[in-house]
């Protein structure tokens, strides 16, 4: 059964596999060299819709954080609230942007969400206010509530392999989720001790 056709088939499949591997390597390199570094510059040049001023953190890493300046009020209490995305090879290869709202410990690393802790209390307050907003407004973006540090998550599709399409999906996600900025800011400000 082995003959010229079998050799041609094997050669064809070997060439195909080599092309697939080369494409994956090129996409991974593009994500590491371009996507991870340029998303923040793109957002500075083409900011999301709305009145917010945004901070762009962790450029050059396989994750990125974007925070409206209004949430900086939580830093004094050790809260790190931000939107997070993952500009990594897998996202670029699949054309899938994962967008999450995170509450983290801005001082020591992992936040403790055990009942009664300040992180659990703030998380509950944020979720309650977001639920109220979603129910009352009817214009909340699509997404789901998460667990632990992930308060909310949403998924956006874009053209696979296209870095500008990724940046635009991120810009769209921030524009759509800007409706939560005021809600989360109110929850943060309620957490701050009153100063006399």
């Amino acid at each position: 059964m082995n003959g010229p056709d079998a050799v041609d088939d094997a050669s064809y499949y070997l060439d195909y596999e080599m092309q697939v591997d080369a494409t994956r390597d090129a996409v991974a390199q593009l994500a590491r060299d371009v996507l991870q570094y340029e998303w923040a510059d793109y957002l500075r040049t083409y900011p999301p819709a709305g009145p917010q001023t945004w901070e762009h953190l962790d450029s050059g890493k396989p994750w990125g954080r974007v925070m409206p300046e209004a949430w900086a009020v939580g830093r004094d209490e050790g809260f790190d609230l931000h939107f997070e995305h993952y500009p990594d090879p897998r996202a670029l290869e699949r054309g899938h942007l994962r967008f999450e709202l995170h509450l983290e410990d801005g001082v020591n690393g992992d936040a403790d969400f055990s009942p009664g802790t300040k992180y659990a209390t703030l998380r509950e307050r944020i979720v309650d206010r977001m639920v109220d907003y979603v129910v009352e407004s009817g214009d909340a973006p699509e997404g789901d509530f998460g667990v632990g540090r992930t308060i909310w998550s949403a998924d956006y599709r874009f053209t696979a392999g296209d870095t500008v399409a990724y940046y635009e999906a991120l810009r769209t996600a921030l524009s759509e989720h800007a409706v939560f900025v005021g809600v989360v800011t109110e929850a943060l400000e309620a957490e701050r001790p009153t100063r006399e």
Side-chain angles (χ1 to χ4, degrees), residues 115-127:
T117 65
K118 68 180 187 174
Y119 295 99
T121 301
L122 177 58
R123 186 185 195 292
E124 184 177 328
R125 185 180 300 117
I126 291 170
V127 169

Side-chain angles (χ1 to χ4, degrees), residues 71-151:
W71 294 354
V73 299
R75 287 183 180 155
D76 292 341
E77 306 304 316
F79 300 121
D80 177 8
L81 260 164
H82 59 270
F83 291 110
E84 194 159 317
H85 64 104
Y86 306 94
D88 59 18
R90 185 175 181 163
L92 191 57
E93 183 180 314
R94 293 181 175 198
H96 179 236
L97 170 74
R98 182 71 170 175
F99 186 76
E100 299 174 340
L101 171 58
H102 282 193
L103 170 59
E104 298 176 3
D105 182 334
V107 177
N108 300 314
D110 288 338
D112 179 5
F113 291 100
S114 301
T117 65
K118 68 180 187 174
Y119 295 99
T121 301
L122 177 58
R123 186 185 195 292
E124 184 177 328
R125 185 180 300 117
I126 291 170
V127 169
D128 287 347
R129 289 178 189 233
M130 286 177 69
V131 166
D132 290 345
Y133 179 84
V134 168
V135 169
E136 292 170 9
S137 75
D139 72 344
E142 287 190 33
D144 296 300
F145 287 99
V147 296
R149 73 180 184 150
T150 304
I151 295 174

Side-chain angles (χ1 to χ4, degrees), residues 38 67 69 139 154 196:
E38 293 184 1
M67 180 186 79
E69 278 186 1
D139 72 344
E196 294 183 23

Side-chain angles (χ1 to χ4, degrees), residues 122 125-127 129 182-192:
L122 177 58
R125 185 180 300 117
I126 291 170
V127 169
R129 289 178 189 233
V183 173
V184 172
T185 303
E186 288 174 10
L188 266 173
E189 289 175 344
E191 185 68 22
R192 297 175 73 190

